[in-house]
Amino acid sequence: MDHSSTTPVDAAVTEAMLPYFSEKFGNPSSLYTIGREARRSMEEARANVADLIGAKKEEIIFTGSGTESDNLAIKGLAYRNRKNGDHIITSSIEHHAVLYTCKYLETQGFKVTYLPVSKEGVVNPTEVEAAITSKTTLISIMHANPEIGTIQPVEEIGKIAKEKNIPFHTDAIPTAGKIPISVDAMGVSLLSLSAHKMYGPKGVGALYIRKGTGLTPLLHGGGHERDIRSGTENVPGIVGFGKAAQLAKERLPEAAKITKLRDSLIKGLLEIKDSYLNGHPEKRLPDNVNIRFSYIEGESMILNLDMKGVAASTGSACSSKSLEPSHVLIATGLKHEEAHGSLRFTLGRANTQDEVDYVITVLPEIVNKLRMMSPLAR
Amino acid sequence: MTDGYSEKVMEHFANPRNVGEIKDADGIGKVGNPVCGDLMWIYIKVKDNRLEDVKFKTFGCGAAIATSSMITEMAKGKTLEEALEITRKDVAEALDGLPPVKMHCSNLAADGLHAAIKDYHERSGKK
């Protein structure tokens, strides 16, 4: 139950991709038959990805990852509009692909405002508006946070951005295929996507670029992807992404079933003494459960769950390479020791009520065992 | 996470030895900080200059729990002088190694034992 880390490639996606490794290996830039065939398939994929977010096909650029999409959106726009200003507004709970890109831009002389969030992890649109200066050239606020599941008021932020005529980027990697996305309703100029979070392959992302939004490329070369992202296209990956996007759109109604599992898991786990929900109770991704348990540490919960055959993740520092607790949990006002005790489950389409019930049965024993061992529990 | 943990670490983590507190302990070593994600309390019972019993309570990751468990086993039956010579390296080696980022957990277990012995000396000095 750790589908936010990544998802398995859907069998239909693999099947769609396979021919493009061997018999249909053409380079989309070649003019002869197999090249044209590759180009046609790629354009079909582009249309499918565009369709998932209510965009036009010409507004989609394929990249090598969601991280690249975020980098291209932020650096690309910041550099392109540098003559107009040097100020960027973002939030303190963005993915590192956004946060560290902003941190890098600060070393290049840009100024960045990192907005705080409420204890449920919500960015306040009024604070976005208040942060805008005459030098602001970009607002980047994620569609939802993948760790605590909180969905952001992007439509309201989009409205403000539009009124002030400032490009608005949103990282929709955690939401695409889970909740409906409409670039027009959200009022975004730029939107990042990644295939592997929606049952597509790893190594391919996309960036929606609204017509009229200019970007400075990160990669210079042969002028692929309308001269915004040079590099021979990853045709099998793109074809797989297109198929995954098509399936994701068809399967959006499944969110109702996953939401039910989510609520059942939250309810069951909150029955454990001294446990609390992280994130917002309603404005929440359909698949996200994030609960903190007092007096114990996340990695030891995960290892115990793993022994019981359950995969989960934690915001604890002890499970990260940096030994720093999750910046998202800290931004919601949790103390370090509270962040350490947080456990995240992200449900996928294959999860069942039986599996949810199993977790609700085994976790209390694990929490108990660890609390017996903990000097913090009294 | 599990990658990087030896079988021995996982074995001690799954079945930790000597968990709990000693009610009438002769010395208690409290080390670590919950802010960092590790807190370790080591309890000792001393008889004729030997560690008759050693127990622990730990808040922390897999390595913190496994090193706590291991050090209680290593220390039990040793003289106080021998116990003071147990180093972080000894604990890590007894567990067939630890991932590099987890080395400070093994440091903590040795520190906890040494702190408990120091506490014992301070208490007996007062008597």
Side-chain angles (χ1 to χ4, degrees):
Chain A
M1 296 191 184
D2 192 24
H3 286 81
S4 273
S5 295
T6 191
T7 53
V9 177
D10 192 283
V13 171
T14 315
E15 203 189 324
M17 291 171 70
L18 280 176
Y20 294 89
F21 288 103
S22 43
E23 70 258 35
K24 300 183 180 179
F25 66 94
N27 184 327
S29 297
S30 306
L31 296 176
Y32 40 80
T33 311
I34 56 165
R36 288 201 310 269
E37 197 170 52
R39 155 99 20 218
R40 197 165 48 241
S41 312
M42 206 170 76
E43 293 316 313
E44 220 176 279
R46 202 185 302 279
N48 279 328
V49 171
D51 194 39
L52 179 67
I53 59 171
K56 293 186 202 74
K57 173 170 148 325
E58 310 76 58
E59 296 173 311
I60 303 294
I61 292 292
F62 287 112
T63 66
S65 64
T67 294
E68 188 192 329
S69 299
D70 284 337
N71 271 263
L72 175 58
I74 296 168
K75 287 181 200 158
L77 201 115
Y79 283 122
R80 176 68 170 250
N81 290 349
R82 196 165 199 176
K83 57 186 183 306
N84 304 324
D86 57 2
H87 179 234
I88 298 165
I89 298 170
T90 187
S91 86
S92 48
I93 62 164
E94 298 296 313
H95 189 276
H96 285 139
V98 170
L99 277 184
Y100 290 167
T101 298
C102 289
K103 294 259 179 230
Y104 165 75
L105 286 174
E106 284 184 285
T107 69
Q108 302 302 302
F110 289 89
K111 290 171 189 69
V112 183
T113 301
Y114 302 91
L115 293 172
V117 293
S118 72
K119 65 181 192 329
E120 289 91 14
V122 186
V123 175
N124 184 344
T126 316
E127 290 184 28
V128 175
E129 189 162 15
I132 295 172
T133 72
S134 60
K135 298 276 186 202
T136 308
T137 55
L138 174 67
I139 299 170
S140 178
I141 305 286
M142 66 198 335
H143 190 194
N145 184 282
E147 188 174 338
I148 55 174
T150 306
I151 299 170
Q152 302 299 337
V154 283
E155 299 194 1
E156 286 174 64
I157 296 167
K159 212 175 280 169
I160 293 164
K162 214 171 196 174
E163 276 164 22
K164 305 271 179 178
N165 203 18
I166 297 167
F168 174 31
H169 164 248
T170 196
D171 176 353
I173 295 163
T175 53
K178 292 179 190 167
I179 55 176
I181 294 178
S182 155
V183 289
D184 287 340
M186 290 159 82
V188 290
S189 304
L190 299 156
L191 180 142
S192 304
L193 295 169
S194 174
H196 80 99
K197 304 277 189 188
M198 43 194 261
Y199 303 92
K202 295 169 178 65
V204 56
L207 182 64
Y208 159 79
I209 307 171
R210 186 176 291 275
K211 198 166 183 279
T213 312
L215 295 181
T216 298
L218 301 180
L219 303 180
H220 300 89
H224 306 79
E225 297 294 284
R226 300 201 342 259
D227 217 5
I228 294 172
R229 203 273 187 180
S230 284
T232 297
E233 298 87 346
N234 169 9
V235 179
I238 289 169
V239 168
F241 193 177
K243 187 72 191 169
Q246 186 201 343
L247 292 172
K249 194 175 179 198
E250 287 168 18
R251 290 169 179 168
L252 271 176
E254 287 182 11
K257 178 203 138 194
I258 295 179
T259 304
K260 229 171 116 186
L261 292 178
R262 174 197 77 184
D263 291 342
S264 160
L265 185 55
I266 290 176
K267 186 166 171 279
L269 296 184
L270 285 180
E271 274 173 27
I272 298 174
K273 206 173 143 243
D274 297 326
S275 63
Y276 308 89
L277 181 69
N278 291 323
H280 198 283
E282 288 110 37
K283 291 174 202 158
R284 190 175 194 95
L285 285 174
D287 64 342
N288 179 289
V289 175
N290 190 321
I291 297 194
R292 65 181 189 277
F293 301 92
S294 305
Y295 321 124
I296 53 178
E297 189 277 326
E299 191 205 78
S300 49
M301 281 191 268
I302 285 183
L303 294 175
N304 273 295
L305 278 169
D306 185 43
M307 291 191 259
K308 302 271 185 192
V310 180
S313 73
T314 173
S316 172
C318 305
S319 73
S320 70
K321 291 187 190 98
S322 64
L323 295 183
E324 282 293 321
S326 146
H327 68 285
V328 177
L329 294 172
I330 297 301
T332 63
L334 292 191
K335 294 190 196 125
H336 282 229
E337 54 267 46
E338 294 172 318
H340 290 306
S342 294
L343 203 54
R344 181 189 73 166
F345 299 91
T346 39
L347 301 162
R349 48 192 311 269
N351 287 128
T352 62
Q353 184 65 46
D354 280 352
E355 289 171 336
V356 165
D357 292 342
Y358 177 68
V359 174
I360 295 172
T361 312
V362 298
L363 195 59
E365 297 164 23
I366 292 170
V367 170
N368 236 347
K369 175 182 164 190
L370 292 171
R371 281 183 177 164
M372 295 276 283
M373 235 184 269
S374 169
L376 296 173
R378 289 273 112 184
Chain B
M1 281 216 326
T2 22
D3 59 276
Y5 278 156
S6 68
E7 272 177 40
K8 205 142 188 191
V9 170
M10 287 309 291
E11 202 274 313
H12 270 265
F13 171 73
N15 310 292
R17 282 54 145 182
N18 306 306
V19 176
E21 53 189 291
I22 301 175
K23 287 270 186 277
D24 54 345
D26 296 319
I28 304 175
K30 296 181 179 181
V31 290
N33 185 334
V35 171
C36 316
D38 292 302
L39 186 65
M40 210 177 273
W41 291 7
I42 307 272
Y43 301 82
I44 56 170
K45 193 82 193 146
V46 182
K47 196 180 176 190
D48 301 333
N49 200 45
R50 272 182 197 278
L51 291 169
E52 190 186 44
D53 199 8
V54 185
K55 287 194 167 184
F56 79 91
K57 281 204 144 187
T58 290
F59 161 88
C61 65
I65 291 171
T67 51
S68 306
S69 167
M70 178 50 88
I71 204 149
T72 61
E73 279 208 325
M74 291 170 81
K76 239 186 201 182
K78 290 218 161 59
T79 66
L80 296 182
E81 292 73 26
E82 286 166 345
L84 283 170
E85 277 171 22
I86 300 175
T87 63
R88 64 194 279 192
K89 198 163 156 257
D90 297 334
V91 180
E93 276 172 10
L95 286 165
D96 295 336
L98 284 170
V101 297
K102 299 286 187 180
M103 283 307 283
H104 91 115
C105 302
S106 62
N107 198 8
L108 215 54
D111 286 357
L113 178 68
H114 299 165
I117 295 172
K118 187 168 169 246
D119 182 48
Y120 164 75
H121 282 313
E122 279 169 9
R123 289 190 199 192
S124 39
K126 275 178 202 152
K127 274 177 195 166

